[in-house]
Amino acid sequence: MKAGIVSYGTYIPRLRVSVDEIAKVWGESPDNVKVGLGVYRKSVPDLDEDTATISVEAAREAIERGKIDPERIGAIFVGSESHPYVVKPTATIVGDAIGCGNSFHAADFEFACKAGTAGIQVCMGMVESGMIEFGLAIGADTSQSAPGDPLEYSASAGGAAFVVGKKGVIAEIEETLSFTSDTPDFWRREGQPYPSHGGRFTGIPAYFRHVTSAAIQIMEKTGYKPSDFDYAVFHQPNGKFPIRAARILGFTKEQINQGLVVGYIGNTYSGSSIIGFSAILDIAKPGDKILLVSFGSGAGSDAFIFNVTDLMEDYPRVPTVWDKINGGITVDYSTYLKLRKKIRLKG
Amino acid sequence: MIPRFWRKIKYRYDIVGSVCENCGTQFYPPRNFCPICRRKSKIKEQRFNGRGKVLSYTIVHDTPDEFKLNKPYIVALIELDDGPIITSQVVCDPQEIEVGMRVVKTFRKYFEDGEDGVIYYGTKFVPEK
């Protein structure tokens, strides 16, 4: 038996801010932004939520649903570009919160928006080599954006956690590969509060080159064509890019719609493609084949082919990702500024 | 402050308390001595499942400095389904909370020791969906 996903969990903060609210403040046309980006609202972390709390909640859901004994988890990797500490791991906080003892490998990963899928690949390698029985890979972010920057319409918060193992697999990893190059499309220098980006340069040379190359390579390697897949999910920095990537590759809207979550929660960065993937797992049936392609600026894409197994029939999947997306409490822009600590306080 | 919090991480990150196996009394925070059984105490650690209901609550408007951004916030007495009555913050709109409301544990940030200090995490509660 190949390694695969044994269980999964997601967490999306309950607060939301709408594109209309942000556009109103900056003198933009909300309709132009919504049409241009394909984003209508985004999730906002509460004052007491950060990447560590999102990671723990997603991990707990995965452990509870899969009925996993935390002590059997031999590795925890948390991928994020908004770890609460620059020095001090998030993975240790997750380890103590889920009660997995002290005998586990742990590290924090950073590769822009694809650090979560990098964690899945590392866990898969450790499981298949026999080093560990179960690995926990998490992608979570409370992404930053400067006030007034176009990123502010989409940069949001959320995460997903996956228990990877060989026993009790609900979605087998048939193949995975990565496509990587040094492409400076989006970055944040040490000590800087907000990221910078190359504007339109983030498109063709960065997102589209890496996503389509990884997808084409994995299909060439395995001999599959787009019509062989029941579902596909691509990284979602906005609502336009994944639809265009799907069109370039020859996937239909029906194949990507279930996993297209960005319009209603924004870009959750390290959580983005894997929350979409989780939304697909929520409705997937045994025998379904799923293509997942993440993208991390800087730049790289991890591609995976998953085959859903018979064990999915009895796997508990409520509340679903879309249940969590459709809930939520809307806040105004000034509350959003306070929650994201964009207001400078005295003392 | 750091060692004092670090020693309690296990009990704050999750609801890990204790039970006296002699008389069945449950404790949170955990006790290592049963005040009922005294020398016959037989204390064992116990993890509670983190679901319960609000017995009573107060809304805090006048807060310590580290919580001023959170005000007003709710502190409640929560009767756990499988454990004792505990005190915890409940994260929801103050208009939303009521006695008898079902709540479930959540992992949240307690406070930060300034911009360059340690971040303290622990258990709070949210309304059960």
Side-chain angles (χ1 to χ4, degrees), chain A residues 235-292:
Chain A
H235 173 56
Q236 303 165 27
N238 53 56
K240 289 295 179 82
F241 279 22
I243 292 173
R244 194 168 149 200
R247 201 165 54 226
I248 292 168
L249 289 163
F251 287 89
T252 63
K253 278 188 178 172
E254 289 69 34
Q255 284 169 300
I256 63 166
N257 272 350
Q258 173 67 16
L260 204 56
V261 297
V262 62
Y264 306 96
I265 54 167
N267 177 8
T268 53
Y269 283 46
S270 298
S272 173
S273 58
I274 51 180
I275 290 178
F277 173 56
S278 301
I280 289 171
L281 289 178
D282 282 346
I283 60 157
K285 298 182 296 298
D288 282 352
K289 193 176 285 295
I290 304 165
L291 175 70
L292 160 66

Short mmCIF file of all heavy atoms in Angstrom, two decimals, chain A residues 235-292:
data_model
loop_
_atom_site.label_atom_id
_atom_site.label_comp_id
_atom_site.label_asym_id
_atom_site.label_seq_id
_atom_site.Cartn_x
_atom_site.Cartn_y
_atom_site.Cartn_z
N HIS A 235 -3.62 26.25 -7.04
CA HIS A 235 -3.48 27.34 -6.08
C HIS A 235 -4.34 28.52 -6.51
O HIS A 235 -4.49 28.80 -7.70
CB HIS A 235 -2.00 27.76 -5.97
CG HIS A 235 -1.82 28.98 -5.13
ND1 HIS A 235 -2.26 29.05 -3.83
CD2 HIS A 235 -1.28 30.20 -5.41
CE1 HIS A 235 -1.99 30.25 -3.34
NE2 HIS A 235 -1.40 30.97 -4.27
N GLN A 236 -4.91 29.22 -5.50
CA GLN A 236 -5.92 30.24 -5.79
C GLN A 236 -5.54 31.61 -5.21
O GLN A 236 -6.08 32.02 -4.19
CB GLN A 236 -7.25 29.79 -5.19
CG GLN A 236 -7.68 28.44 -5.72
CD GLN A 236 -8.79 27.79 -4.90
OE1 GLN A 236 -9.59 28.46 -4.26
NE2 GLN A 236 -8.84 26.48 -4.94
N PRO A 237 -4.60 32.32 -5.86
CA PRO A 237 -4.27 33.67 -5.36
C PRO A 237 -5.42 34.65 -5.59
O PRO A 237 -5.53 35.66 -4.92
CB PRO A 237 -3.04 34.05 -6.18
CG PRO A 237 -3.14 33.25 -7.43
CD PRO A 237 -3.82 31.97 -7.05
N ASN A 238 -6.25 34.34 -6.57
CA ASN A 238 -7.48 35.10 -6.85
C ASN A 238 -8.40 34.14 -7.61
O ASN A 238 -8.05 32.98 -7.83
CB ASN A 238 -7.16 36.36 -7.69
CG ASN A 238 -6.37 36.00 -8.94
OD1 ASN A 238 -6.81 35.18 -9.74
ND2 ASN A 238 -5.19 36.59 -9.10
N GLY A 239 -9.57 34.65 -7.99
CA GLY A 239 -10.52 33.75 -8.65
C GLY A 239 -10.23 33.53 -10.12
O GLY A 239 -10.82 32.65 -10.74
N LYS A 240 -9.36 34.36 -10.70
CA LYS A 240 -9.10 34.30 -12.14
C LYS A 240 -8.01 33.28 -12.51
O LYS A 240 -8.16 32.53 -13.48
CB LYS A 240 -8.69 35.68 -12.65
CG LYS A 240 -9.82 36.69 -12.68
CD LYS A 240 -10.86 36.24 -13.69
CE LYS A 240 -12.05 37.17 -13.79
NZ LYS A 240 -11.84 38.31 -14.63
N PHE A 241 -6.90 33.33 -11.78
CA PHE A 241 -5.73 32.51 -12.15
C PHE A 241 -6.05 31.01 -12.23
O PHE A 241 -5.68 30.36 -13.22
CB PHE A 241 -4.57 32.76 -11.17
CG PHE A 241 -3.76 34.00 -11.47
CD1 PHE A 241 -4.29 35.05 -12.21
CD2 PHE A 241 -2.46 34.13 -11.00
CE1 PHE A 241 -3.54 36.20 -12.47
CE2 PHE A 241 -1.69 35.26 -11.25
CZ PHE A 241 -2.24 36.31 -12.00
N PRO A 242 -6.69 30.41 -11.21
CA PRO A 242 -6.92 28.96 -11.31
C PRO A 242 -7.84 28.57 -12.46
O PRO A 242 -7.67 27.51 -13.07
CB PRO A 242 -7.55 28.60 -9.96
CG PRO A 242 -7.97 29.87 -9.34
CD PRO A 242 -7.14 30.95 -9.92
N ILE A 243 -8.82 29.47 -12.78
CA ILE A 243 -9.73 29.17 -13.90
C ILE A 243 -8.95 29.20 -15.21
O ILE A 243 -9.11 28.33 -16.07
CB ILE A 243 -10.91 30.18 -13.90
CG1 ILE A 243 -11.79 29.95 -12.68
CG2 ILE A 243 -11.71 30.06 -15.20
CD1 ILE A 243 -12.88 30.99 -12.48
N ARG A 244 -8.05 30.20 -15.34
CA ARG A 244 -7.26 30.31 -16.57
C ARG A 244 -6.28 29.14 -16.69
O ARG A 244 -6.10 28.58 -17.77
CB ARG A 244 -6.51 31.65 -16.56
CG ARG A 244 -5.95 32.02 -17.91
CD ARG A 244 -5.49 33.46 -17.90
NE ARG A 244 -4.36 33.63 -18.80
CZ ARG A 244 -3.52 34.63 -18.74
NH1 ARG A 244 -3.65 35.56 -17.82
NH2 ARG A 244 -2.52 34.72 -19.59
N ALA A 245 -5.67 28.75 -15.55
CA ALA A 245 -4.74 27.62 -15.58
C ALA A 245 -5.46 26.35 -16.01
O ALA A 245 -4.95 25.56 -16.82
CB ALA A 245 -4.10 27.43 -14.20
N ALA A 246 -6.67 26.18 -15.47
CA ALA A 246 -7.46 24.99 -15.83
C ALA A 246 -7.76 24.99 -17.33
O ALA A 246 -7.66 23.95 -18.00
CB ALA A 246 -8.77 24.98 -15.03
N ARG A 247 -8.12 26.18 -17.86
CA ARG A 247 -8.45 26.29 -19.29
C ARG A 247 -7.22 25.97 -20.15
O ARG A 247 -7.31 25.24 -21.14
CB ARG A 247 -8.98 27.69 -19.58
CG ARG A 247 -9.80 27.76 -20.85
CD ARG A 247 -10.61 29.04 -20.96
NE ARG A 247 -9.78 30.21 -20.80
CZ ARG A 247 -10.08 31.25 -20.02
NH1 ARG A 247 -11.17 31.25 -19.32
NH2 ARG A 247 -9.26 32.29 -19.95
N ILE A 248 -6.05 26.51 -19.76
CA ILE A 248 -4.81 26.26 -20.52
C ILE A 248 -4.52 24.76 -20.56
O ILE A 248 -4.13 24.21 -21.58
CB ILE A 248 -3.62 27.02 -19.86
CG1 ILE A 248 -3.78 28.53 -20.03
CG2 ILE A 248 -2.28 26.55 -20.44
CD1 ILE A 248 -2.83 29.36 -19.18
N LEU A 249 -4.76 24.08 -19.42
CA LEU A 249 -4.41 22.66 -19.32
C LEU A 249 -5.48 21.74 -19.92
O LEU A 249 -5.21 20.56 -20.15
CB LEU A 249 -4.19 22.29 -17.84
CG LEU A 249 -2.92 22.87 -17.20
CD1 LEU A 249 -3.02 22.79 -15.68
CD2 LEU A 249 -1.69 22.12 -17.69
N GLY A 250 -6.69 22.28 -20.11
CA GLY A 250 -7.76 21.46 -20.69
C GLY A 250 -8.70 20.86 -19.67
O GLY A 250 -9.37 19.86 -19.95
N PHE A 251 -8.77 21.46 -18.46
CA PHE A 251 -9.74 21.00 -17.46
C PHE A 251 -11.03 21.82 -17.59
O PHE A 251 -11.00 23.00 -17.99
CB PHE A 251 -9.17 21.15 -16.04
CG PHE A 251 -8.11 20.15 -15.72
CD1 PHE A 251 -6.77 20.41 -16.00
CD2 PHE A 251 -8.43 18.92 -15.17
CE1 PHE A 251 -5.78 19.48 -15.73
CE2 PHE A 251 -7.45 17.98 -14.89
CZ PHE A 251 -6.13 18.25 -15.17
N THR A 252 -12.15 21.21 -17.23
CA THR A 252 -13.44 21.90 -17.34
C THR A 252 -13.80 22.59 -16.02
O THR A 252 -13.23 22.28 -14.97
CB THR A 252 -14.56 20.90 -17.66
OG1 THR A 252 -14.65 19.98 -16.56
CG2 THR A 252 -14.26 20.13 -18.94
N LYS A 253 -14.78 23.49 -16.10
CA LYS A 253 -15.26 24.17 -14.89
C LYS A 253 -15.83 23.16 -13.89
O LYS A 253 -15.70 23.31 -12.69
CB LYS A 253 -16.35 25.19 -15.25
CG LYS A 253 -15.77 26.51 -15.73
CD LYS A 253 -16.87 27.54 -15.89
CE LYS A 253 -16.24 28.87 -16.31
NZ LYS A 253 -17.25 29.86 -16.68
N GLU A 254 -16.49 22.13 -14.43
CA GLU A 254 -17.10 21.11 -13.55
C GLU A 254 -16.02 20.41 -12.72
O GLU A 254 -16.27 20.00 -11.59
CB GLU A 254 -17.86 20.07 -14.38
CG GLU A 254 -19.14 20.57 -15.01
CD GLU A 254 -18.91 21.59 -16.13
OE1 GLU A 254 -17.90 21.47 -16.86
OE2 GLU A 254 -19.73 22.53 -16.27
N GLN A 255 -14.82 20.27 -13.28
CA GLN A 255 -13.74 19.59 -12.55
C GLN A 255 -13.16 20.47 -11.45
O GLN A 255 -12.62 19.95 -10.47
CB GLN A 255 -12.61 19.18 -13.52
CG GLN A 255 -12.95 17.97 -14.38
CD GLN A 255 -11.94 17.77 -15.49
OE1 GLN A 255 -11.76 18.63 -16.36
NE2 GLN A 255 -11.26 16.64 -15.49
N ILE A 256 -13.23 21.80 -11.60
CA ILE A 256 -12.55 22.66 -10.61
C ILE A 256 -13.49 23.42 -9.67
O ILE A 256 -13.06 23.93 -8.64
CB ILE A 256 -11.62 23.69 -11.30
CG1 ILE A 256 -12.41 24.66 -12.20
CG2 ILE A 256 -10.51 22.99 -12.08
CD1 ILE A 256 -11.59 25.88 -12.61
N ASN A 257 -14.80 23.48 -10.01
CA ASN A 257 -15.71 24.33 -9.23
C ASN A 257 -15.78 23.99 -7.74
O ASN A 257 -15.80 24.87 -6.89
CB ASN A 257 -17.12 24.29 -9.82
CG ASN A 257 -17.28 25.34 -10.90
OD1 ASN A 257 -16.40 26.20 -11.06
ND2 ASN A 257 -18.35 25.28 -11.65
N GLN A 258 -15.83 22.70 -7.39
CA GLN A 258 -15.97 22.29 -5.99
C GLN A 258 -14.79 22.79 -5.13
O GLN A 258 -14.96 23.15 -3.97
CB GLN A 258 -16.08 20.76 -5.89
CG GLN A 258 -16.06 20.20 -4.49
CD GLN A 258 -17.28 20.60 -3.65
OE1 GLN A 258 -18.30 21.04 -4.17
NE2 GLN A 258 -17.15 20.45 -2.34
N GLY A 259 -13.61 22.83 -5.71
CA GLY A 259 -12.42 23.24 -4.95
C GLY A 259 -12.09 24.71 -5.06
O GLY A 259 -11.09 25.17 -4.50
N LEU A 260 -12.92 25.46 -5.79
CA LEU A 260 -12.63 26.88 -6.01
C LEU A 260 -13.24 27.71 -4.87
O LEU A 260 -14.37 28.17 -4.95
CB LEU A 260 -13.21 27.30 -7.37
CG LEU A 260 -12.60 28.49 -8.07
CD1 LEU A 260 -11.10 28.33 -8.28
CD2 LEU A 260 -13.29 28.72 -9.41
N VAL A 261 -12.47 27.91 -3.81
CA VAL A 261 -13.00 28.52 -2.59
C VAL A 261 -12.61 29.99 -2.43
O VAL A 261 -13.13 30.70 -1.57
CB VAL A 261 -12.53 27.73 -1.34
CG1 VAL A 261 -13.08 26.31 -1.37
CG2 VAL A 261 -11.02 27.72 -1.21
N VAL A 262 -11.69 30.47 -3.26
CA VAL A 262 -11.08 31.80 -3.06
C VAL A 262 -12.08 32.94 -3.10
O VAL A 262 -11.92 33.94 -2.38
CB VAL A 262 -9.94 32.02 -4.09
CG1 VAL A 262 -10.46 31.99 -5.52
CG2 VAL A 262 -9.18 33.31 -3.83
N GLY A 263 -13.14 32.82 -3.88
CA GLY A 263 -14.09 33.92 -4.04
C GLY A 263 -14.75 34.32 -2.73
O GLY A 263 -15.12 35.48 -2.55
N TYR A 264 -14.87 33.39 -1.80
CA TYR A 264 -15.64 33.65 -0.58
C TYR A 264 -14.81 33.66 0.70
O TYR A 264 -15.31 34.06 1.75
CB TYR A 264 -16.77 32.60 -0.49
CG TYR A 264 -17.57 32.60 -1.76
CD1 TYR A 264 -17.30 31.68 -2.77
CD2 TYR A 264 -18.51 33.59 -2.00
CE1 TYR A 264 -17.99 31.72 -3.98
CE2 TYR A 264 -19.20 33.65 -3.20
CZ TYR A 264 -18.93 32.71 -4.18
OH TYR A 264 -19.60 32.78 -5.38
N ILE A 265 -13.56 33.23 0.63
CA ILE A 265 -12.67 33.36 1.81
C ILE A 265 -11.35 34.03 1.47
O ILE A 265 -10.54 34.27 2.35
CB ILE A 265 -12.38 32.00 2.49
CG1 ILE A 265 -11.81 30.98 1.49
CG2 ILE A 265 -13.61 31.47 3.21
CD1 ILE A 265 -11.22 29.74 2.18
N GLY A 266 -11.11 34.35 0.21
CA GLY A 266 -9.85 34.99 -0.18
C GLY A 266 -8.73 33.98 -0.33
O GLY A 266 -8.95 32.76 -0.33
N ASN A 267 -7.52 34.50 -0.45
CA ASN A 267 -6.34 33.65 -0.62
C ASN A 267 -5.74 33.35 0.75
O ASN A 267 -5.18 34.24 1.38
CB ASN A 267 -5.32 34.38 -1.51
CG ASN A 267 -4.03 33.60 -1.68
OD1 ASN A 267 -3.92 32.45 -1.27
ND2 ASN A 267 -3.04 34.24 -2.29
N THR A 268 -5.87 32.12 1.18
CA THR A 268 -5.34 31.73 2.49
C THR A 268 -3.88 31.27 2.39
O THR A 268 -3.39 30.56 3.27
CB THR A 268 -6.20 30.62 3.12
OG1 THR A 268 -6.33 29.55 2.18
CG2 THR A 268 -7.60 31.11 3.47
N TYR A 269 -3.22 31.66 1.33
CA TYR A 269 -1.79 31.41 1.12
C TYR A 269 -1.44 29.92 1.28
O TYR A 269 -1.88 29.12 0.48
CB TYR A 269 -0.96 32.33 2.01
CG TYR A 269 -0.88 33.75 1.48
CD1 TYR A 269 -2.03 34.42 1.05
CD2 TYR A 269 0.32 34.45 1.41
CE1 TYR A 269 -1.97 35.72 0.55
CE2 TYR A 269 0.39 35.76 0.92
CZ TYR A 269 -0.77 36.37 0.50
OH TYR A 269 -0.71 37.66 0.01
N SER A 270 -0.72 29.57 2.35
CA SER A 270 -0.31 28.16 2.50
C SER A 270 -1.52 27.23 2.64
O SER A 270 -1.40 26.02 2.45
CB SER A 270 0.61 27.98 3.71
OG SER A 270 1.78 28.73 3.54
N GLY A 271 -2.67 27.80 3.00
CA GLY A 271 -3.87 26.98 3.13
C GLY A 271 -4.69 26.92 1.84
O GLY A 271 -5.63 26.13 1.74
N SER A 272 -4.33 27.73 0.84
CA SER A 272 -5.20 27.95 -0.31
C SER A 272 -5.55 26.70 -1.10
O SER A 272 -6.71 26.27 -1.13
CB SER A 272 -4.55 28.99 -1.22
OG SER A 272 -5.27 29.12 -2.41
N SER A 273 -4.55 26.09 -1.76
CA SER A 273 -4.88 24.94 -2.61
C SER A 273 -5.36 23.75 -1.77
O SER A 273 -6.17 22.95 -2.23
CB SER A 273 -3.67 24.54 -3.46
OG SER A 273 -2.57 24.24 -2.64
N ILE A 274 -4.86 23.64 -0.53
CA ILE A 274 -5.22 22.46 0.27
C ILE A 274 -6.58 22.59 0.96
O ILE A 274 -7.21 21.59 1.27
CB ILE A 274 -4.10 22.07 1.28
CG1 ILE A 274 -3.66 23.26 2.12
CG2 ILE A 274 -2.93 21.44 0.54
CD1 ILE A 274 -2.56 22.94 3.12
N ILE A 275 -7.07 23.82 1.16
CA ILE A 275 -8.46 23.96 1.61
C ILE A 275 -9.38 23.59 0.44
O ILE A 275 -10.38 22.89 0.60
CB ILE A 275 -8.75 25.39 2.13
CG1 ILE A 275 -8.03 25.63 3.47
CG2 ILE A 275 -10.27 25.60 2.32
CD1 ILE A 275 -8.21 27.03 4.05
N GLY A 276 -9.01 24.03 -0.77
CA GLY A 276 -9.77 23.65 -1.97
C GLY A 276 -9.77 22.14 -2.15
O GLY A 276 -10.82 21.53 -2.43
N PHE A 277 -8.61 21.52 -1.94
CA PHE A 277 -8.50 20.05 -2.03
C PHE A 277 -9.38 19.38 -0.97
O PHE A 277 -10.07 18.39 -1.25
CB PHE A 277 -7.02 19.67 -1.85
CG PHE A 277 -6.77 18.20 -1.76
CD1 PHE A 277 -7.19 17.32 -2.75
CD2 PHE A 277 -6.08 17.67 -0.66
CE1 PHE A 277 -6.95 15.95 -2.65
CE2 PHE A 277 -5.84 16.31 -0.56
CZ PHE A 277 -6.27 15.45 -1.55
N SER A 278 -9.41 19.96 0.23
CA SER A 278 -10.25 19.39 1.30
C SER A 278 -11.73 19.48 0.93
O SER A 278 -12.51 18.58 1.24
CB SER A 278 -10.01 20.13 2.62
OG SER A 278 -8.65 20.04 2.99
N ALA A 279 -12.12 20.60 0.28
CA ALA A 279 -13.52 20.75 -0.16
C ALA A 279 -13.87 19.66 -1.17
O ALA A 279 -15.01 19.17 -1.19
CB ALA A 279 -13.73 22.13 -0.77
N ILE A 280 -12.91 19.27 -1.99
CA ILE A 280 -13.14 18.17 -2.95
C ILE A 280 -13.25 16.84 -2.20
O ILE A 280 -14.14 16.04 -2.47
CB ILE A 280 -12.00 18.13 -4.00
CG1 ILE A 280 -12.13 19.34 -4.93
CG2 ILE A 280 -12.02 16.83 -4.79
CD1 ILE A 280 -10.96 19.55 -5.86
N LEU A 281 -12.34 16.61 -1.23
CA LEU A 281 -12.40 15.36 -0.45
C LEU A 281 -13.76 15.23 0.24
O LEU A 281 -14.25 14.13 0.46
CB LEU A 281 -11.27 15.32 0.58
CG LEU A 281 -9.85 15.12 0.04
CD1 LEU A 281 -8.84 15.14 1.20
CD2 LEU A 281 -9.72 13.81 -0.73
N ASP A 282 -14.36 16.38 0.61
CA ASP A 282 -15.66 16.37 1.30
C ASP A 282 -16.75 15.65 0.50
O ASP A 282 -17.71 15.14 1.09
CB ASP A 282 -16.14 17.81 1.55
CG ASP A 282 -15.43 18.46 2.75
OD1 ASP A 282 -14.79 17.73 3.52
OD2 ASP A 282 -15.55 19.68 2.90
N ILE A 283 -16.63 15.68 -0.83
CA ILE A 283 -17.70 15.06 -1.65
C ILE A 283 -17.17 13.91 -2.52
O ILE A 283 -17.93 13.30 -3.26
CB ILE A 283 -18.40 16.09 -2.57
CG1 ILE A 283 -17.41 16.74 -3.54
CG2 ILE A 283 -19.13 17.14 -1.76
CD1 ILE A 283 -18.09 17.30 -4.76
N ALA A 284 -15.86 13.64 -2.42
CA ALA A 284 -15.26 12.62 -3.30
C ALA A 284 -15.79 11.23 -2.97
O ALA A 284 -16.10 10.91 -1.82
CB ALA A 284 -13.74 12.66 -3.15
N LYS A 285 -15.87 10.40 -4.01
CA LYS A 285 -16.35 9.02 -3.86
C LYS A 285 -15.20 8.06 -4.11
O LYS A 285 -14.23 8.41 -4.83
CB LYS A 285 -17.47 8.74 -4.87
CG LYS A 285 -18.70 9.61 -4.69
CD LYS A 285 -19.80 9.26 -5.66
CE LYS A 285 -19.44 9.50 -7.12
NZ LYS A 285 -19.14 10.87 -7.49
N PRO A 286 -15.29 6.84 -3.57
CA PRO A 286 -14.23 5.86 -3.85
C PRO A 286 -14.01 5.72 -5.35
O PRO A 286 -14.98 5.69 -6.12
CB PRO A 286 -14.80 4.57 -3.24
CG PRO A 286 -15.69 5.04 -2.14
CD PRO A 286 -16.29 6.33 -2.63
N GLY A 287 -12.75 5.69 -5.75
CA GLY A 287 -12.41 5.55 -7.16
C GLY A 287 -12.14 6.88 -7.85
O GLY A 287 -11.59 6.90 -8.96
N ASP A 288 -12.52 8.00 -7.22
CA ASP A 288 -12.28 9.31 -7.84
C ASP A 288 -10.77 9.59 -7.92
O ASP A 288 -10.01 9.22 -7.02
CB ASP A 288 -12.97 10.43 -7.04
CG ASP A 288 -14.47 10.49 -7.31
OD1 ASP A 288 -14.93 9.79 -8.23
OD2 ASP A 288 -15.16 11.25 -6.60
N LYS A 289 -10.40 10.27 -8.98
CA LYS A 289 -9.00 10.67 -9.19
C LYS A 289 -8.93 12.19 -9.13
O LYS A 289 -9.73 12.88 -9.78
CB LYS A 289 -8.52 10.15 -10.56
CG LYS A 289 -7.02 10.22 -10.75
CD LYS A 289 -6.60 9.60 -12.08
CE LYS A 289 -6.66 8.10 -12.10
NZ LYS A 289 -5.70 7.47 -11.17
N ILE A 290 -8.00 12.72 -8.31
CA ILE A 290 -7.92 14.17 -8.08
C ILE A 290 -6.51 14.67 -8.39
O ILE A 290 -5.51 14.07 -7.95
CB ILE A 290 -8.25 14.49 -6.59
CG1 ILE A 290 -9.62 13.93 -6.21
CG2 ILE A 290 -8.19 16.00 -6.34
CD1 ILE A 290 -9.87 13.89 -4.70
N LEU A 291 -6.44 15.79 -9.12
CA LEU A 291 -5.15 16.46 -9.36
C LEU A 291 -5.07 17.69 -8.47
O LEU A 291 -5.99 18.52 -8.47
CB LEU A 291 -5.03 16.89 -10.84
CG LEU A 291 -3.78 17.71 -11.18
CD1 LEU A 291 -2.51 16.85 -11.11
CD2 LEU A 291 -3.89 18.34 -12.57
N LEU A 292 -3.99 17.80 -7.70
CA LEU A 292 -3.75 18.98 -6.86
C LEU A 292 -2.44 19.60 -7.30
O LEU A 292 -1.41 18.92 -7.37
CB LEU A 292 -3.67 18.57 -5.37
CG LEU A 292 -2.97 19.52 -4.40
CD1 LEU A 292 -3.74 20.83 -4.24
CD2 LEU A 292 -2.81 18.88 -3.02
#
